[in-house]
Amino acid sequence: MLVGFKTGIVFVVDTTITMGPYIDRMRDVIARVYKRVEAEKLEGDVSFGLVAYRNSTKSVPDLEYTTRTFASLKEGVKGQSFLDLTARVTPAKVSSGPQLPEDAYACNVSALTEMDWDQYAAKIVVLISDASALEGNHPLASTGMFTPEVREFAQAAGIALFAVHLK
């Protein structure tokens, strides 16, 4: 076992109305991952963060937010406190529109820039969504970034991006 090797894992979660059935399952998966971390006696070496996104509030103000951090990596060091913070994540009460892609890159960029990654040797962002992402030329895309730019941005920061697309 590597002593002092710290891993930061930030879950970036789509919380639009269509994700309603999946949000509880996401919490269950995160709880199982944390229990495994506990069983392996890696508490303190693995920390979790959670950033949620919906879509542009410019087009649908009732969505409440485009992105929101529910747990920083610092808050995600202790498993139970992190799991308690995940309980605050709920799906939107209104639709973001008919089959639109969503502003996932805004949330990825938030996870990449707003988390304190300095102490982590392994840096991982896991995107969980049931929709595609708005590309940079879409009028509602808040970052103006395209897929390759988001990937390069993460690579430059030494952060691995993974996507879980739910159908």
Side-chain angles (χ1 to χ4, degrees):
M1 179 162 89
L2 294 172
V3 177
F5 185 89
K6 296 195 179 290
T7 301
I9 303 169
V10 176
F11 295 97
V12 171
V13 180
D14 175 349
T15 59
T16 56
I17 199 166
T18 59
M19 285 292 291
Y22 305 111
I23 291 174
D24 285 336
R25 291 186 209 158
M26 176 260 326
R27 271 193 281 274
D28 293 342
V29 168
I30 291 171
R32 286 196 307 258
V33 169
Y34 184 74
K35 287 182 192 312
R36 182 67 186 251
V37 166
E38 238 178 2
E40 298 293 327
K41 303 199 184 323
L42 295 172
E43 289 178 287
D45 291 331
V46 179
S47 184
F48 300 100
L50 179 63
V51 183
Y53 72 95
R54 290 187 174 160
N55 213 343
S56 173
T57 55
K58 290 178 191 173
S59 65
V60 185
D62 289 342
L63 286 174
E64 300 174 32
Y65 59 85
T66 301
T67 69
R68 179 178 289 165
T69 299
F70 282 87
S72 68
L73 286 166
K74 184 177 182 179
E75 293 169 314
V77 172
K78 299 284 185 194
Q80 191 55 54
S81 63
F82 175 72
L83 295 174
D84 292 344
L85 291 170
T86 69
R88 297 180 184 170
V89 178
T90 59
K93 292 178 176 62
V94 297
S95 173
S96 57
Q99 305 297 321
L100 288 176
E102 294 156 357
D103 206 0
Y105 295 156
C107 201
N108 278 328
V109 170
S110 291
L112 296 170
T113 60
E114 295 174 13
M115 294 288 164
D116 182 6
W117 293 99
D118 291 343
Q119 65 179 312
Y120 300 99
K123 304 168 187 176
I124 302 165
V125 170
V126 180
L127 169 69
I128 302 169
S129 180
D130 66 348
S132 59
L134 293 173
E135 289 291 341
N137 60 347
H138 192 284
L140 297 176
S142 62
T143 66
M145 296 173 83
F146 291 84
T147 304
E149 293 168 302
V150 174
R151 184 185 67 245
E152 290 168 13
F153 190 67
Q155 285 176 335
I159 300 171
L161 291 177
F162 296 93
V164 177
H165 185 257
L166 307 170
K167 287 194 167 199

